[in-house]
Amino acid sequence: MASIALPRDVASGIIVRGFATAQRAMVVVGAALTAVASTVAVLARGGEPLALVPVLAALAVMGVLALRLLLRPTAARATVFLAVGAVASVVYTVALLTADARLDEPGPSLVNRAAAGLVLVGALRGSARSGVLWTAAGLVLAELSLVVGFALAGRPPETGVAPLLGAIIVLLAYGALVLSHARARRRVPDLDRLQRELELGDRERELERRAARVAHDTVLADLAIIAARPGPLDPGARARLERDLALALAGTVALDTAEPSEPRRSPIADDLLELVREYQWSGVTVDVSGCDDLVVAVDEPVRAAVLGAARAALDNVVRHAATDRAELVVGERDGTLSVLIVDDGVGFSSTSVDADRLGVRSSIDARVREVGGSARVWSGEEGTTVMLSVPIGGDGTPS
């Protein structure tokens, strides 16, 4: 049975993504503000101006990494942000502590700011649980970078209060989202379980109807025979009664085995699932729906056109959409096969788009038109949707 993303799941994912986006934006802005604050503090306290060079370089690296993660939040970019950001935090800490500006007095709040940015790595894939894990990893690396930085600067190792407080606030927020989502799941019934119960109930009612028909055709008919014959039963009537009695004593009524079995899934549905699996290492997760219900057969030209156009659309998502999730929906109605590729990434305008993206769009449109179909593209700030529609016969008429 195909799974369906319920509104509560969609809303939860949107909230988590929005919160994670705000975290990464804070790192970008915070890096710029910290650069200004560090410059003012070092110069005002008579520190060494040359010490600002590694300080500003480390902050620039963290800002760029946070911006890359903001534009395209993937596990690979988050890992790079934490690993390289931890090194940048060490450089920042050492540079400030050796600038002879006594920036750790009365407390190292300015020294802790680069490390504090690591706990704002944010969640991935709209999962609050992933936000908890990434934040915990950021906190560990932030505190470790401070310990190493103080040690390299010849100071007693210290852990930072700012990263700890930031991590506590973020973890509380993600924890609340996890609990809220779990509570909502408990309030809303399990639709898959309800579907199975409904199917079981329908089957039981069908068995009851068949049993009632058997009782009518055997027991009631046999009673009528007995009532109509006051004398001894002839061998034929006795044989019928014995046969019907054996059927009644069996206690079960089998469903008609001549009923048609469920239709098999269409080969093109398997081809689309295989196509989606090819993108599992691309950094984009593609959710698929409709394949289990697709049972139509299509001609080879239609199959080749649909797969080629779908591949071009997914390549466009990977290369240009700057998102980690897309959706492929397939269905058939009135002899027309429809495939939708949807993403919530960076959209584009036909008047201000790179030539290579126009090429992709043209190749999609050309492929489906060759088999009598059409392609439509909607794109904007909320993402891009590509809809492919082709007649199943491949020549402009259903097969």
Side-chain angles (χ1 to χ4, degrees):
M1 182 182 300
S3 61
I4 302 174
L6 298 177
R8 63 162 185 261
D9 300 317
V10 175
S12 176
I14 292 174
I15 294 173
V16 171
R17 286 190 176 93
F19 183 57
T21 299
Q23 289 180 259
R24 294 155 191 152
M26 289 174 61
V27 178
V28 176
V29 176
L33 295 178
T34 302
V36 176
S38 300
T39 302
V40 172
V42 170
L43 297 179
R45 296 194 179 192
E48 178 62 41
L50 290 178
L52 290 172
V53 175
V55 169
L56 299 180
L59 292 173
V61 169
M62 291 200 67
V64 170
L65 292 176
L67 183 60
R68 292 180 71 251
L69 185 59
L70 174 65
L71 295 177
R72 186 177 176 185
T74 64
R77 293 194 175 190
T79 303
V80 172
F81 171 77
L82 291 181
V84 179
V87 176
S89 175
V90 172
V91 173
Y92 172 86
T93 303
V94 173
L96 280 185
L97 292 176
T98 56
D100 296 328
R102 301 181 304 280
L103 295 178
D104 58 334
E105 299 174 4
S109 60
L110 185 61
V111 179
N112 292 341
R113 291 190 185 180
L118 296 176
V119 303
L120 300 178
V121 57
L124 298 178
R125 304 183 186 279
S127 169
R129 294 181 185 274
S130 76
V132 172
L133 297 177
W134 284 104
T135 302
L139 176 61
V140 171
L141 289 175
E143 299 292 358
L144 183 61
S145 69
L146 288 174
V147 171
V148 173
F150 272 82
L152 291 177
R155 306 291 184 88
E158 292 188 25
T159 56
V161 177
L164 180 60
L165 290 178
I168 291 175
I169 294 173
V170 172
L171 289 174
L172 287 176
Y174 281 125
L177 290 172
V178 171
L179 293 177
S180 175
H181 189 234
R183 195 178 302 113
R185 281 187 173 275
R186 286 194 296 269
R187 287 198 299 264
V188 179
D190 186 344
L191 296 185
D192 289 342
R193 179 179 57 81
L194 291 178
Q195 178 66 22
R196 291 192 296 270
E197 291 178 355
L198 288 174
E199 292 175 352
L200 180 60
D202 291 340
R203 182 179 179 85
E204 290 176 348
R205 284 188 290 273
E206 177 63 20
L207 290 175
E208 291 172 357
R209 288 192 293 269
R210 292 174 182 269
R213 288 197 297 269
V214 170
H216 178 272
D217 295 340
T218 59
V219 177
L220 296 180
D222 294 340
L223 291 175
I225 292 175
I226 294 174
R229 301 187 181 188
L233 298 176
D234 58 65
R238 180 175 286 114
R240 174 176 176 175
L241 289 173
E242 291 175 352
R243 184 178 63 254
D244 292 344
L245 181 61
L247 179 61
L249 291 176
T252 59
V253 179
L255 290 174
D256 186 3
T257 57
E259 291 182 351
S261 59
E262 293 186 1
R264 296 184 60 185
R265 187 168 62 193
S266 172
I268 195 172
D270 295 326
D271 294 335
L272 288 170
L273 291 173
E274 183 63 29
L275 173 64
V276 166
R277 278 192 286 269
E278 296 177 8
Y279 289 85
Q280 61 182 341
W281 304 114
S282 67
V284 176
T285 299
V286 183
D287 298 324
V288 182
S289 58
C291 283
D292 289 341
D293 300 324
L294 192 65
V295 297
V296 297
V298 299
D299 295 342
E300 178 58 28
V302 173
R303 171 186 171 278
V306 169
L307 292 178
R311 182 187 299 277
L314 290 174
D315 285 342
N316 196 39
V317 174
V318 173
R319 295 173 182 171
H320 304 288
T323 182
D324 64 345
R325 184 170 294 275
E327 184 176 5
L328 186 148
V329 183
V330 61
E332 181 272 335
R333 183 176 182 182
D334 298 332
T336 299
L337 177 67
S338 298
V339 180
L340 275 76
I341 298 92
V342 184
D343 70 75
D344 59 355
V346 179
F348 62 92
S349 171
S350 59
T351 59
S352 59
V353 69
D354 295 337
D356 61 337
R357 295 192 74 177
L358 280 176
V360 170
R361 189 175 182 182
S362 298
S363 66
I364 293 174
D365 186 69
R367 281 191 173 99
V368 296
R369 286 188 181 279
E370 287 178 356
V371 293
S374 62
R376 299 185 67 185
V377 180
W378 297 270
S379 187
E381 295 181 356
E382 71 281 358
T384 301
T385 298
V386 178
M387 184 175 74
L388 313 174
S389 300
V390 295
I392 294 175
D395 57 355
T397 59
S399 60

